[in-house]
Amino acid sequence: MSDLVLGRTNLSFPRTWLSLRVPSISGEIDPLIDACLAAQVPLDISSQPALWGGKLRGNTPVLAACSTFQHERSVDEKHASDLTQAHLIELLSAIGREQIDFYFIRVRRAIEEFQISGLLQATEMARIDGHIRFLGLWSEEFPLAALGLWQFNDAFDVVCSPFDAVTGSMDVSLASMAAKRRVGMITRGKQDPTEAAVALKPADSAQAVREANCV
């Protein structure tokens, strides 16, 4: 399957990405990493940045990672910014790089405007300094929360949405906004890639990588 030009990035990426998970079987981590590198697809390392970052040292795959939810406990804009900056420093140290390719802000519920401002202030500074290449919005189980943030803050290059196994599609409201703003769409789950979106699939073994059809 051909690559996909992913929205505002203006770059072509494989239609299948992998989200790394710690294998349940001892000794499977190195074969998993080898399979991921052979697949030559972007890798989401959010589950264990220090582990995956250490294993990937010396290699240059496209890497993606998510924010924490620490901003939810911030008491003012500066606090939210400081917490985000601290996580970015920790993340970059873990992967041994000056830049993360995709950094996603995770949204699981509505948050205060000052928290949003602090988050975006920190990520914009990081982009200017070259520490974030592309900024993403990561919607958790309530897409309306992510949509509410996105409607008034057009700062994102890509958006990642859960795949609805019932309807067999990505969230319609997020997909519609992505199309209007020319933002790249990524869906999470085991679904096949679509014509309009990248599929982010879980990978916890070399076999899972092979089954993900990373072509």
Side-chain angles (χ1 to χ4, degrees):
M1 184 179 292
S2 62
D3 289 355
L4 175 70
V5 176
L6 196 58
R8 294 178 179 178
T9 69
N10 290 320
L11 297 175
S12 295
F13 290 94
R15 291 176 181 269
T16 298
W17 296 16
L18 297 173
S19 184
L20 297 179
R21 300 288 186 269
V22 177
S24 57
I25 301 174
S26 178
E28 272 291 310
I29 289 181
D30 288 338
L32 168 60
I33 292 297
D34 290 343
C36 287
L37 291 174
Q40 297 184 338
V41 299
L43 304 175
D44 167 32
I45 60 168
S46 302
S47 63
Q48 295 277 354
L51 172 62
W52 306 124
K55 290 291 183 180
L56 290 166
R57 293 287 174 93
N59 296 286
T60 57
V62 171
L63 296 184
C66 291
S67 73
T68 65
F69 293 117
Q70 290 295 308
H71 55 268
E72 293 181 353
R73 66 179 182 86
S74 61
V75 297
D76 56 34
E77 182 177 313
K78 184 178 184 303
H79 191 201
S81 178
D82 289 346
L83 290 170
T84 304
Q85 288 181 37
H87 180 250
L88 279 165
I89 291 170
E90 180 181 353
L91 174 62
L92 293 172
S93 297
I95 64 176
R97 297 187 185 184
E98 290 294 319
Q99 183 183 75
I100 182 78
D101 297 290
F102 288 86
Y103 186 74
F104 290 89
I105 293 177
R106 295 175 72 187
V107 179
R108 61 182 176 182
R109 62 175 177 81
I111 58 176
E112 300 292 339
E113 186 60 38
F114 70 81
Q115 294 171 331
I116 296 171
S117 295
L119 271 169
L120 295 179
Q121 180 186 85
T123 52
E124 181 58 25
M125 288 176 57
R127 292 181 78 162
I128 292 171
D129 291 340
H131 300 311
I132 294 174
R133 190 179 184 193
F134 301 115
L135 184 63
L137 179 65
W138 183 286
S139 173
E140 292 289 337
E141 63 269 27
F142 299 110
L144 285 179
L147 190 65
L149 185 156
W150 195 11
Q151 283 179 325
F152 302 103
N153 299 278
D154 188 16
F156 304 102
D157 302 299
V158 292
V159 60
C160 185
S161 169
F163 181 78
D164 191 329
V166 176
T167 63
S169 65
M170 67 190 87
D171 182 78
V172 173
S173 59
L174 291 175
S176 176
M177 180 76 82
K180 289 178 182 177
R181 295 188 171 180
R182 204 177 70 80
V183 168
M185 195 78 189
I186 302 168
T187 59
R188 305 191 300 279
K190 296 183 178 180
Q191 80 285 3
D192 290 329
T194 71
E195 289 300 316
V198 162
L200 177 62
K201 300 186 178 184
D204 61 1
S205 67
Q207 180 62 28
V209 174
R210 290 189 287 270
E211 292 175 353
N213 296 320
C214 301
V215 295

